[in-house]
Structures are given as structure tokens and as C-alpha cells.
Amino acid sequence: MRLSGKTALVTGASRGIGRAIALRFAAEGAFVVVNYAGNEAAAGETLAAIASSGGNAVLSRFDVGDAAQVDEAVKAIVAQRSRIDILVNNAGITRDNLLMRLTEDDFDAVVRTNLKGTFLVTKVVSRQMIRQRCGRIVNMSSVVGEMGNAGQSVYAATKAGILGFTKAMARELASRAITVNAIAPGFISTDMTQSLPEATRKEFAERIPLGRFGAPEEVAELAVFLASDAAAYVTGQVVGINGGMYM
Ligand code: NAP
């Protein structure tokens, strides 16, 4: 029970990596606020899975890119729980295309959710963490933010942006005992990578030294460590979990 008594907000926790983190956090004793954008059924499944294994969680629907919704949702969490110990900025989207075909709308949508969303939620939650004089923030970047990938220019730009944001926040918040770290996963089996053609997935797997995609649960294990008391002296770091794809 490494997160016993903690309240955690996990954005984009209805599916994929966020769901695995929510489940693992709850299993480690945290009260989990499961955020999602619109997929009510998937969010309900996350909540039911936590409840059936004896964990505690609530749903919180808000768009991370909408400042008013973020404000209102975080206020409601603080009103209910009095504190937020852990924030995982995990919500993210892709609109993959080669630059020549990438539209301004695609660019804006990806920046809005991935980068602006991370900024908006961190701004409001860190205000509460500063009052508490403790907290853990974990931002979901990507190996693509470190090494680039053809067809993912805007996605890679947001994930690289998250690394800069993480390091700046780590410096700003360190004096209040708030740590800020980034996880940079490689290819993980979720809806996001499921949408890639089978041939592309096979080709990617061949480029990974460990020869396979990762599981969301493997990323969740790392998130537990960074969110736990054991990681009190770890801040401003980018932790890769990519099967050796990028070293
Ligand atoms: P996913 O399966 O597509 O799930 C995305 C999650 O984000 C869903 O819960 C979705 O909610 C939520 N979401 C999307 N837009 C949102 C918004 N505006 N406000 C609030 N929630 C929003 O994605 P995933 O593969 O688990 O990826 C999770 C994170 O890991 C992302 O940041 C992604 O970039 C990063 N990542 C993934 C991989 C990978 O290989 N899968 C690799 C590196 C990094 P709804 O269900 O309501 O739509």
C-alpha cells in the first residue's frame, strides 16, 4: 500500500495508460479521481473495476483544455477531499499526418489537449499543493518527444514541450516539497496504438530491443513509484519506459 491515504487526480483515466494508473493507484490505497473527456461507458468501466477490487474512486468529467471546466472540477475535488496529493497529467490525443497534410485545426487540437491541458490542470492543482506544502506531479510525455517520429510532428512537439514544462515546474515547486517528473513511454498497447495499421505495429516492434510493445500496467508501476513517498528526492526527471527503443 504505497499510496495509502493519498488523493490522486488522473486525467484521461477512462482508457489505456490512464486507466491502468487509476487501477494501480487505487490498489495501492489511493482515493482516485478518474477524469475523462466524454467516453462515459469507458470511464464507468474504470470505476467499476476499481470498486470491484475494493478501491475508492469517483468520476470527474472535464475537458483538460477548457480552463473553466478545469477550475470547477478541481474546486469540487478539493471541496470533497480537502487535498490533492498526486496529479497525473495523462490525457492526450494524436492527429498523425505528414506535415504537408497536417491542418491548422489538427495542430491546434493536439496542442490544446496535450500541452495546454497539462498547463491548465497543473496551474490549478499546484495552487492546492503549494498550500499543503507537498505534492507529486507526473506528466505523460512520450519517446517521440525525445527522438521524433515521421508523421507525428505536432504530437512530438507537444510531448517535447511537456519535458520543458516538467523541468521548469520542478524548479518552481521544489521549495514547497512538490516533485514534478515526466514519464516517456515508448509504444504501449492501447486504443492510441491500436489504430496504427498492423504492418506499422509489426515494423515498430522490430525496432524495439525488447521486441514488443509495452503494457499500460508496466507504465502504471512507474507512475506509482514517482507518486510515492519513496520518490521524494526525484524531481525534474524524464523516465523512459520504452523497451530500449531510445537510450
Ligand atoms: P488513449 O487510450 O487514447 O486514452 C486517452 C485518454 O485521454 C482517454 O481517457 C480520453 O478520455 C482522455 N482524453 C482525451 N482528450 C481529453 C481531454 N480533452 N480532456 C480529458 N481527457 C481527455 O491513450 P493512451 O494510449 O492511454 O495514452 C495516454 C497518454 O500516454 C497520452 O498522453 C499519450 O500521448 C501518452 N503516450 C501513449 C503512448 C502509447 O503508445 N499508447 C506512448 C507514449 C505516450 P475519453 O475516453 O473520454 O475520450
Side-chain angles (χ1 to χ4, degrees), residues 50-120:
I50 291 174
S52 74
S53 48
N56 294 305
V58 288
L59 294 182
S60 176
R61 178 179 180 165
F62 64 88
D63 173 357
V64 295
D66 182 311
Q69 288 186 32
V70 170
D71 265 6
E72 197 183 321
V74 173
K75 267 192 200 124
I77 299 166
V78 173
Q80 192 196 355
R81 303 290 306 167
S82 312
R83 54 190 300 114
I84 302 178
D85 302 287
I86 303 161
L87 164 64
V88 182
N89 282 308
N90 166 80
I93 60 167
T94 53
R95 292 276 179 92
D96 297 346
N97 229 329
L98 294 173
L99 181 65
M100 292 307 152
R101 289 196 211 120
L102 192 70
T103 66
E104 197 176 338
D105 280 353
D106 291 334
F107 184 92
D108 288 343
V110 176
V111 169
R112 182 179 182 279
T113 297
N114 297 7
L115 197 52
K116 186 179 172 191
T118 299
F119 154 71
L120 289 175

Side-chain angles (χ1 to χ4, degrees), residues 92-239:
I93 60 167
T94 53
R95 292 276 179 92
D96 297 346
N97 229 329
L98 294 173
L99 181 65
M100 292 307 152
R101 289 196 211 120
L102 192 70
T103 66
E104 197 176 338
D105 280 353
D106 291 334
F107 184 92
D108 288 343
V110 176
V111 169
R112 182 179 182 279
T113 297
N114 297 7
L115 197 52
K116 186 179 172 191
T118 299
F119 154 71
L120 289 175
V121 182
T122 302
K123 184 168 177 179
V124 185
V125 171
S126 65
R127 201 174 293 145
Q128 174 61 27
M129 288 178 170
I130 286 168
R131 275 189 219 115
Q132 295 166 191
R133 296 196 165 266
C134 68
R136 294 273 184 277
I137 300 176
V138 179
N139 296 325
M140 205 55 70
S141 178
S142 167
V143 69
V144 163
E146 300 177 297
M147 60 185 278
N149 195 23
Q152 291 201 299
S153 55
V154 64
Y155 179 75
T158 61
K159 294 299 177 177
I162 285 172
L163 300 184
F165 183 74
T166 298
K167 292 174 189 183
M169 283 300 99
R171 290 185 190 278
E172 277 189 35
L173 298 173
S175 64
R176 311 299 166 98
I178 299 165
T179 66
V180 189
N181 292 289
I183 294 179
F187 290 100
I188 309 298
S189 299
T190 67
D191 292 348
M192 194 177 266
T193 46
Q194 220 36 55
S195 61
L196 295 168
E198 173 71 35
T200 312
R201 271 188 284 144
K202 199 162 165 273
E203 188 196 312
F204 283 155
E206 280 162 10
R207 280 199 264 146
I208 302 169
L210 285 177
R212 63 171 176 88
F213 278 28
E217 293 74 20
E218 292 175 304
V219 181
E221 273 302 323
L222 183 54
V224 169
F225 169 69
L226 291 173
S228 73
D229 292 343
Y233 201 54
V234 182
T235 198
Q237 302 304 304
V238 181
V239 187

